[in-house]
């Protein structure tokens, strides 16, 4: 992506000027609208985990993106992958008429910080 190339270019530029900058990689986040559905992902999918030989567990949950009494509330289906040993979140995919990008933004931050499923739970 152009945005990734831009970040890599900044790292190169900083290091050429004597810095010690490190490119931390990308999560391959993506969001697209298909008809009335918002579709997106961040991190690793089940297929990618299988191809990489990574151990994972996954769960699918359906919920509203806003309180039910709000007229614009819409459903989102979310699939979450986590490492069963470390409980670290590996990836999230989401689809629905609701605000998918907002959920994926939060998920991307959790992934970047090495968060676990406990960090996403209301009670730990
Ligand atoms: C049709 C199209 C649409 C895209 N749309 C998007 C989009 O909407 N959003 C997005 O984020 N990304 C998009 N991309 C991807 C994005 O353009 C690239 O990821 C990004 O430009 C890569 O940047 P780069 O600096 O690595 O390489 P490039 O932008 O390809 O730059 C490489 C440069 O090196 C030069 N070069 C090559 N060989 C030599 C040589 N031997 N000596 C000197 N110079 C050389 C080339 O002329 C070129 O200027 C799109 C790409 C395409 C083709």
């Amino acid at each position: 992506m152009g945005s990734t190339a831009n970040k890599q270019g900044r790292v190169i530029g900083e290091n050429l000027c004597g810095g010690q900058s490190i490119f931390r990689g990308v999560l391959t986040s993506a969001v697209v609208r298909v008809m009335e559905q918002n579709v997106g992902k961040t991190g690793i999918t089940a297929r990618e985990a299988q191809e990489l030989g990574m151990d994972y567990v996954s769960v699918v949950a359906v919920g509203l993106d806003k309180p039910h009494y709000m007229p614009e509330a819409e459903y989102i289906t979310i699939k979450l992958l986590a490492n069963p040993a470390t409980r670290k979140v590996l990836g999230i995919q989401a689809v629905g008429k609701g605000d998918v990008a907002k959920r994926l933004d939060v998920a991307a931050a959790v992934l970047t910080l090495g968060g676990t499923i406990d960090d996403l739970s209301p009670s730990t």
Side-chain angles (χ1 to χ4, degrees):
M1 297 299 293
S3 52
T4 304
N6 187 287
K7 289 172 191 164
Q8 291 176 315
R10 286 169 187 260
V11 169
I12 292 167
E14 285 175 17
N15 288 335
L16 283 173
C17 295
Q20 297 290 319
S21 190
I22 295 170
F23 180 67
R24 297 172 64 193
V26 294
L27 295 169
T28 67
S29 302
V31 183
V32 65
R33 174 169 286 183
V34 182
M35 309 299 276
E36 292 185 346
Q37 301 287 321
N38 298 304
V39 187
K41 57 96 68 174
T42 186
I44 289 171
T45 65
R47 181 182 294 178
E48 289 167 341
Q50 289 162 17
E51 288 172 355
L52 293 166
M54 296 174 71
D55 203 11
Y56 72 93
V57 289
S58 67
V59 64
V60 175
V62 182
L64 287 166
D65 64 345
K66 299 179 186 70
H68 65 88
Y69 50 79
M70 296 183 73
E72 67 269 29
E74 295 283 4
Y75 279 97
I76 302 176
T77 301
I78 294 178
K79 182 175 183 179
L80 180 146
L81 271 73
N83 181 302
T86 65
R87 303 174 72 82
K88 278 192 175 183
V89 179
L90 298 175
I92 290 181
Q93 298 103 57
V95 60
K97 287 185 178 178
D99 195 346
V100 162
K102 183 178 174 185
R103 296 297 185 280
L104 291 172
D105 277 349
V106 174
V110 170
L111 283 167
T112 299
L113 297 172
T116 67
I117 51 175
D118 304 304
D119 294 318
L120 293 172
S121 173
S123 58
T124 53

